[in-house]
């Protein structure tokens, strides 16, 4: 008994010596700690993007839709469930550091041949009653359990980052769907205004033809242009419906329950202030995909320690107390009391091939996780720099097209006046109105693209990841 206790104490004194590499995050060494190269353009400020970045639009409808999406989106529900699952797995892993206990009781009626007990030509039959408590404790001599818990914690953090990424994406896609619905509404409005203008011109050509000042050719050309514009209306209607259906799905509703107030939107949302972009270092901290990749690398590194521990002996300490009697009333008498205690050692020696193969697998997994992390932060920087440049370019495009639209409108107005006065041929009016219609639609599309670029920029910046699901 004394020797058993000495061995147990020695095993406990060695517990906690974790084998395998200690993890050091490579994130601080990533060469992305300075300013973003495209962030010096006008329209950007170095402040950090707020968590609720969608409020920069200052649009109550967007605030409401985002709230509905965060509460009911199905992708978010899946991510939240995955996070709860990862937390439950971690609790299971942590339980390995505690003793395992089993309470048992048994009643048997058996017949035993006497020959089995060295008494020939006899047999014994009767009842046996047993109650007991068994306990065992695995001594984490080389840190296998500790490394498993370390990996589990990293897995939970990676699942948390996956939830954060889903959250950012859902918010961005909700705003994008709202913007697309408004853009289609705006294009419908432009098409309707163009139709009205071209209908007036068409009526004018018919009156002039009836009065002998126009020709059938001019009337036919005006009618053809009118029908070309009319043909764009059902396309824009379908685009608006598609955006509304997406919006309904994102907010956890069937398409038939798409928000009615959005169906009438004709103005694309814009952020009317400078965009806060932060810097490279804070970008990597905000981006959920980068954080997820870093945590998966931490988990893969810890798994090397889990595999390495199999090269060494595994020690567990077990004990049992209980009572065994032939009659229930004798179960708790001192004469029926029994106990046992002692260590159990298992060691896969000398065949270590399996253990070494698992170590090699774990190391390869860690190498792959490191490469994934490096690729993720490089992609994050590329996406952000690209989004910054695209935002600036799309803003400049909108301004240029707006000036062009104004010039086309003035040219069409003058052409119609001169045509009425007989100073210009109808072809001049036709060309001017065709140019105006094209510029109007190009401007509407550019404003839609600019809104889309704004959402893409906020998505690249990784805003809105700070909040987490409960449970």
């Amino acid at each position: 008994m004394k020797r058993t206790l000495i061995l147990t104490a020695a095993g406990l004194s060695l517990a906690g010596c974790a084998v395998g590499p200690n993890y050091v995050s490579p994130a601080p060494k990533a060469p992305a700690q300075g300013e973003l190269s495209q962030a010096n353009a006008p329209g950007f400020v170095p402040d950090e993007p707020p968590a609720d970045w969608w409020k920069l639009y200052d649009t109550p409808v967007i605030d409401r839709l985002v709230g509905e999406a965060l509460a009911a989106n199905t992708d978010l529900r899946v991510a939240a469930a995955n996070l709860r699952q990862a937390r439950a797995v971690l609790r299971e892993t942590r339980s390995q550091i505690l003793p395992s206990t089993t309470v048992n009781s048994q009643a048997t009626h058996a017949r035993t041949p006497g020959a089995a007990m060295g008494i020939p030509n006899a047999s014994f039959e009767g009842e046996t009653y047993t109650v007991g408590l068994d306990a065992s404790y695995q001594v984490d001599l080389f840190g296998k359990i500790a490394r498993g818990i370390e990996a589990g914690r990293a897995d939970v953090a990676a699942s948390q980052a996956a939830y954060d990424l889903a959250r950012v994406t859902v918010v961005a896609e909700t705003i994008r769907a709202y913007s697309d619905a408004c853009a289609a509404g705006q294009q419908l409005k432009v098409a309707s205004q163009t139709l009205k203008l071209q209908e007036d011109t068409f009526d004018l050509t018919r009156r002039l033809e009836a009065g002998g000042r126009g020709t059938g050719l001019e009337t036919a050309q005006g009618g053809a242009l009118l029908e070309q514009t009319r043909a764009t209306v059902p396309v824009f209607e379908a685009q608006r419906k598609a955006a509304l259906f997406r919006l309904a799905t994102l907010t956890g509703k069937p398409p038939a329950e798409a928000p009615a107030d959005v169906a009438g939107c004709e103005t694309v949302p814009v952020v009317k202030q400078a965009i806060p972009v932060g810097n490279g270092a804070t970008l990597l901290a905000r981006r959920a995909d980068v954080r997820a990749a870093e945590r998966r690398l931490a988990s893969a590194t810890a798994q090397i320690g889990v595999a390495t521990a199999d090269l060494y002996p595994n020690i567990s300490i077990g004990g049992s107390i209980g009572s065994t009697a032939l009659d229930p009333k004798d179960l708790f008498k001192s004469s029926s009391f029994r106990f046992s205690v002692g260590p159990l050692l298992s060691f896969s020696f000398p065949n270590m091939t399996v253990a070494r193969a698992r170590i090699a697998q774990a190391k390869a997994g860690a190498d792959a996780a490191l490469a994934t992390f490096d690729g993720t932060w490089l992609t994050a920087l590329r996406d952000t720099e690209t989004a910054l440049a695209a935002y600036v370019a799309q803003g400049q495009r909108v301004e240029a097209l707006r000036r062009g639209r104004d010039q086309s409108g003035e040219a069409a107005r003058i052409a119609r006046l001169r045509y009425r006065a007989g100073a210009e041929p109808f072809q001049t009016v036709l060309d001017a109105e065709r140019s105006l219609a094209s510029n109007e639609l190009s401007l509407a599309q550019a404003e839609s693209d600019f809104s889309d670029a704004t959402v893409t920029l906020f998505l690249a910046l990784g805003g809105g990841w700070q909040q987490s699901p409960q449970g």
Side-chain angles (χ1 to χ4, degrees):
M1 179 67 177
K2 182 177 179 181
R3 180 178 299 174
T4 298
L5 294 176
I6 291 174
L7 289 173
T8 301
L12 290 172
S13 68
L14 290 173
C17 178
V19 296
N22 293 319
Y23 178 70
V24 178
S25 174
K29 298 179 181 178
Q33 310 306 315
E35 298 296 326
L36 297 164
S37 65
Q38 301 298 309
N40 295 322
F44 301 133
V45 291
D47 301 336
E48 291 302 304
D52 51 355
W53 56 269
W54 56 90
K55 292 186 177 179
L56 294 175
Y57 284 95
D58 193 23
T59 303
V61 176
I62 288 180
D63 295 343
R64 188 197 79 219
L65 293 172
V66 168
E68 292 175 1
L70 291 178
N73 183 266
T74 55
D75 290 339
L76 271 182
R77 288 165 52 196
V78 171
N82 290 338
L83 177 56
R84 293 195 301 272
Q85 183 182 43
R87 287 171 174 168
V89 171
L90 176 58
R91 290 196 298 271
E92 179 184 358
T93 304
R94 281 174 171 167
S95 69
Q96 298 178 34
I97 65 175
L98 302 174
S100 62
T101 57
T102 304
V103 177
N104 59 76
S105 63
Q106 184 179 23
T108 60
H109 181 91
R111 180 175 182 178
T112 304
M117 304 174 63
I119 305 175
N121 302 320
S123 64
F124 299 90
E125 182 175 348
E127 297 175 345
T128 303
Y129 300 89
T130 301
V131 295
L133 170 67
D134 298 329
S136 64
Y137 174 73
Q138 183 171 341
V139 182
D140 196 19
L141 193 61
F142 298 100
K144 182 174 183 177
I145 298 175
R147 291 300 191 194
I149 293 174
E150 182 181 339
R153 286 173 177 162
D155 289 337
V156 168
S159 295
Q160 174 68 68
Y163 173 85
D164 295 337
L165 179 59
R167 186 175 186 275
V168 175
T169 303
V170 165
V171 171
E173 292 308 314
T174 299
I175 298 175
R176 201 190 304 275
Y178 171 76
S179 175
D180 288 348
C182 294
Q186 183 179 15
Q187 289 169 325
L188 275 170
K189 180 181 178 181
V190 169
S192 298
Q193 292 172 342
T194 302
L195 272 175
K196 179 63 172 62
L197 185 64
Q198 291 175 353
E199 284 172 350
D200 292 343
T201 302
F202 183 60
D203 289 341
L204 174 62
T205 59
R206 287 192 299 183
R207 290 196 303 272
L208 291 175
E209 181 185 2
R213 292 180 52 194
T215 67
L217 176 61
E218 292 174 342
T219 303
Q221 288 176 326
L225 182 60
L226 177 64
E227 293 306 319
Q228 285 177 357
T229 303
R230 200 190 307 277
T232 64
V233 172
V235 176
F236 296 143
E237 286 280 8
Q239 290 175 352
R240 179 166 63 180
K241 289 179 181 179
L244 290 172
F245 295 157
R246 280 166 45 212
L247 194 55
T249 304
L250 284 163
T251 53
K253 300 173 184 176
E257 297 180 17
D261 55 343
V262 179
C265 179
E266 296 177 339
T267 304
V268 177
V270 294
V271 177
K272 298 178 182 179
Q273 65 184 73
I275 304 293
V277 298
N279 57 43
T282 57
L283 171 69
L284 298 189
R286 284 193 310 270
R287 287 275 299 222
D289 53 347
V290 175
R291 291 185 292 113
E294 188 273 334
R295 288 291 82 200
R296 292 190 186 101
L297 173 59
S299 176
T301 303
Q303 291 295 342
I304 298 176
V306 173
T308 304
D310 288 337
L311 290 175
Y312 302 95
N314 184 25
I315 297 176
S316 60
I317 300 168
S320 175
I321 59 173
S323 178
T324 300
L326 301 178
D327 193 292
K329 67 178 184 297
D330 297 329
L331 272 176
F332 297 101
K333 291 182 179 180
S334 59
S335 59
S336 62
F337 177 74
R338 59 176 174 78
F339 76 91
S340 65
V341 63
L344 172 65
L345 183 146
S346 61
F347 189 22
S348 300
F349 181 83
N351 184 7
M352 311 298 289
T353 303
V354 173
R356 295 190 184 281
R358 289 174 179 168
I359 294 172
Q361 294 172 38
K363 287 181 177 179
D367 289 342
L370 176 59
T372 299
F373 170 75
D374 288 340
T376 302
W377 69 256
L378 283 169
T379 300
L381 288 176
R382 181 201 65 194
D383 289 349
T384 304
E385 296 281 17
T386 301
L388 289 168
Y391 177 84
V392 172
Q394 290 294 347
Q396 294 172 344
R397 178 170 174 249
V398 167
E399 293 302 319
L401 286 173
R402 188 171 288 137
R403 293 191 298 269
R405 185 274 317 271
D406 294 342
Q407 293 293 326
S408 292
E410 180 65 11
R413 185 187 68 83
I414 294 173
R416 284 191 295 272
L417 290 175
R418 290 177 62 82
Y419 174 64
R420 287 192 182 98
E424 292 288 348
F426 181 69
Q427 187 62 43
T428 301
V429 176
L430 201 66
D431 291 342
E433 290 192 349
R434 185 181 289 113
S435 177
L436 175 59
S438 176
N439 285 343
E440 287 277 14
L441 289 177
S442 294
L443 176 59
Q445 183 60 54
E447 290 177 343
S448 174
D449 293 342
F450 181 60
S451 180
D452 186 77
T454 305
V455 174
T456 300
L457 175 57
F458 278 120
L459 186 59
L461 291 172
W465 56 265
Q466 289 87 337
Q467 299 184 19
S468 304
Q470 297 300 316

